[in-house]
Amino acid sequence: YQRRVHGDCYYKRMPHSYGVRARTRSLFAKPFRRHGQDPISRMLVQYHIGDYADIIVDGSKHLGMPHKFYYGKTGRIFDISKRAVGIVINKRVRNKVLPKRLHVRIEHLQKSKCRAEFINRIQANDKAKAAAKAEKKKVSTKRKPVEPCPGHFVELAKTKVEFINPKPYTYLYQKDAHNDISQSIF
């Protein structure tokens, strides 16, 4: 502890803490109503080399826990061992992006959904191409930006004109000889 002088008395101040798990009280805490034993389904997830996975640290499991920096990061699996999975994560250090290779236990991983939309789009495109080929037509599978709404004329005979003007200021009190401003009604 550090001792500081304040007037006539001393007081203690906590020292700096720069440990591995510093400032992780809420980061590594389990969500509301999710305490207790983990479901067995988390251990039965199959990971393959090349899959994408998210690092979500389980604070109750201390073995194979990655550093707090990697919480929430997504990486690609490059190695699979008996109890852990090797994952490559890009880390920005100053003006460089370094590929960091970590071995993380599967309790701290979950399969990423970052490619779900991409895979669904590929499957929908394949179905559209097969349907177009059966009808001997060409179909465009390119993504198109949202176009602006088409223009139109507003007919005054069919619509009602509404004027949006500011309301006139109204006084909250009546000013007369008997009442002054301090006795206003609020």
Side-chain angles (χ1 to χ4, degrees):
Y1 292 103
Q2 298 172 353
R3 293 182 68 179
R4 298 286 176 115
V5 179
H6 182 72
D8 296 336
C9 61
Y10 290 95
Y11 69 94
K12 293 180 180 179
R13 202 178 116 190
M14 294 295 291
H16 290 294
S17 58
Y18 295 109
V20 176
R21 293 187 61 165
R23 289 168 289 281
T24 59
R25 179 176 180 168
S26 60
L27 188 70
F28 287 172
K30 286 196 171 185
F32 180 61
R33 286 183 164 173
R34 293 291 182 271
H35 297 268
Q37 190 67 30
D38 289 334
I40 194 69
S41 59
R42 179 184 285 186
M43 305 299 288
L44 298 176
V45 175
Q46 291 186 356
Y47 294 98
H48 303 284
I49 293 175
D51 287 352
Y52 286 89
D54 299 329
I55 294 180
I56 305 296
V57 176
D58 184 1
S60 64
K61 306 287 190 292
H62 298 165
L63 293 176
M65 181 186 287
H67 191 264
K68 61 191 173 189
F69 171 83
Y70 299 104
Y71 187 96
K73 301 286 190 284
T74 303
R76 200 161 193 181
I77 294 172
F78 73 93
D79 183 32
I80 297 173
S81 61
K82 191 174 182 181
R83 294 180 188 85
V85 168
I87 186 167
V88 180
I89 292 181
N90 292 330
K91 181 178 181 181
R92 182 173 170 267
V93 181
R94 295 186 183 90
N95 57 351
K96 296 176 286 188
V97 178
L98 305 175
K100 307 288 273 189
R101 292 175 176 264
L102 311 172
H103 277 84
V104 181
R105 281 209 176 198
I106 56 174
E107 296 98 86
H108 308 293
L109 286 178
Q110 69 181 23
K111 279 202 169 181
S112 181
K113 299 175 184 175
C114 63
R115 287 173 57 86
E117 186 203 353
F118 173 68
I119 292 169
N120 293 340
R121 190 161 51 85
I122 287 175
Q123 292 172 352
N125 288 349
D126 290 344
K127 286 181 182 177
K129 287 177 185 176
K133 191 174 183 180
E135 297 174 2
K136 296 182 180 179
K137 292 182 180 179
K138 284 189 176 182
V139 65
S140 176
T141 57
K142 292 183 178 180
R143 290 176 289 174
K144 295 178 183 176
V146 178
E147 296 180 354
C149 297
H152 62 279
F153 291 100
V154 177
E155 297 181 15
L156 293 175
K158 297 179 180 178
T159 60
K160 181 182 176 184
V161 178
E162 182 180 346
F163 294 99
I164 303 174
N165 295 328
K167 291 183 178 179
Y169 179 77
T170 56
Y171 289 99
L172 298 174
Y173 59 89
Q174 295 292 329
K175 188 174 181 182
D176 56 3
H178 301 290
N179 296 335
D180 58 348
I181 297 173
S182 62
Q183 296 176 352
S184 59
I185 302 168
F186 286 106

